[in-house]
Amino acid sequence: EPVSLAGSRAGQEVLQDHQWWWLEVSLATLSFLAAALRPLGGTSGSSESRIVDETFEALLEPCIDLIDIFEFLPPSDQHPASRLLGEVLQSAIVSLAAPVDGPKIKQLFTNVLGKTRADDVEVRLCAVRCCHRVWSELGVQVLTGLSEVVMFASELLEDEDSRVEDAVRALIKTMEDCTGESLQEALKP
């Protein structure tokens, strides 16, 4: 009889009781992605730019869709494998963001933060943490995505889970540190 993963946390027991071969594959793939994309930051030639654009388009959706798996994992603050997957995913998303600018940064933030509309708190939390990591590591380089992040952050400040609210407040603080300006006015409904 097939095992149903319906009901969010019901899948948690299924994943906890089985070998996480997919985790090892995901970690290796995301680590490779992060390492392979780092040298692409700051490319200037047209062929390098085309490679960056094609790589970004091909890998953005699969990386961001991996955020959805957190619905079926134990909370990352309670399980080392969940935490490790989150950290490696964040690193891969930072590496995707590093060599691009303008509309691609906006696309990345919109897609990542679109996951904050999920019903599951762990998915929302992972999305906010990914966004925070991008701002922490790239700073003003991703300034073109500020309005997208502020739009989502203003909604998330009223999240039902205090961990999401706290993560959003930390994100806002990092963004304010990067821009040197207060975002409090922009965050008002």
Side-chain angles (χ1 to χ4, degrees):
E1 177 177 328
V3 177
S4 171
L5 293 181
S8 295
R9 296 289 165 223
Q12 196 177 93
E13 292 96 38
V14 172
L15 291 177
Q16 286 179 349
D17 294 337
H18 290 79
Q19 183 179 9
W20 286 21
W21 62 267
W22 58 269
L23 177 65
E24 292 177 23
V25 172
S26 296
L27 292 174
T29 303
L30 291 169
S31 296
F32 173 77
L33 171 67
L37 291 177
R38 285 205 202 297
L40 294 177
T43 59
S44 57
S46 63
S47 66
E48 290 92 356
S49 182
R50 191 180 85 249
I51 291 169
V52 167
D53 288 348
E54 289 174 1
T55 302
F56 180 86
E57 291 299 327
L59 298 175
L60 180 65
E61 186 177 339
C63 284
I64 292 174
D65 283 347
L66 194 55
I67 293 172
D68 292 329
I69 193 71
F70 285 85
E71 178 177 353
F72 305 105
L73 298 178
S76 59
D77 54 349
Q78 296 176 10
H79 200 282
S82 299
R83 184 173 29 261
L84 180 60
L85 180 61
E87 290 169 3
V88 173
L89 178 59
Q90 291 169 21
S91 181
I93 290 175
V94 167
S95 294
L96 274 173
V100 299
D101 56 12
K104 298 239 184 274
I105 290 295
K106 290 181 179 202
Q107 178 185 0
L108 181 132
F109 281 135
T110 301
N111 290 357
V112 169
L113 290 170
K115 297 293 183 180
T116 62
R117 297 211 166 115
D119 291 334
D120 187 80
V121 66
E122 294 302 321
V123 172
R124 295 193 308 270
L125 191 56
C126 180
V128 172
R129 287 176 175 163
C130 286
C131 185
H132 189 188
R133 179 88 173 265
V134 170
W135 273 96
S136 295
E137 292 194 23
L138 302 179
V140 294
Q141 182 181 337
V142 295
L143 193 58
T144 56
L146 181 68
S147 61
E148 283 73 15
V149 178
V150 168
M151 179 181 70
F152 281 95
S154 65
E155 295 173 13
L156 290 167
L157 284 171
E158 298 175 11
D159 195 89
E160 62 196 37
D161 191 283
S162 62
R163 295 177 305 148
V164 174
E165 283 187 39
D166 292 345
V168 171
R169 290 185 201 292
L171 167 62
I172 292 167
K173 172 82 170 94
T174 298
M175 291 166 53
E176 288 176 336
D177 290 347
C178 290
T179 63
E181 296 182 24
S182 173
L183 298 174
Q184 298 312 309
E185 277 299 313
L187 291 166
K188 290 183 180 175

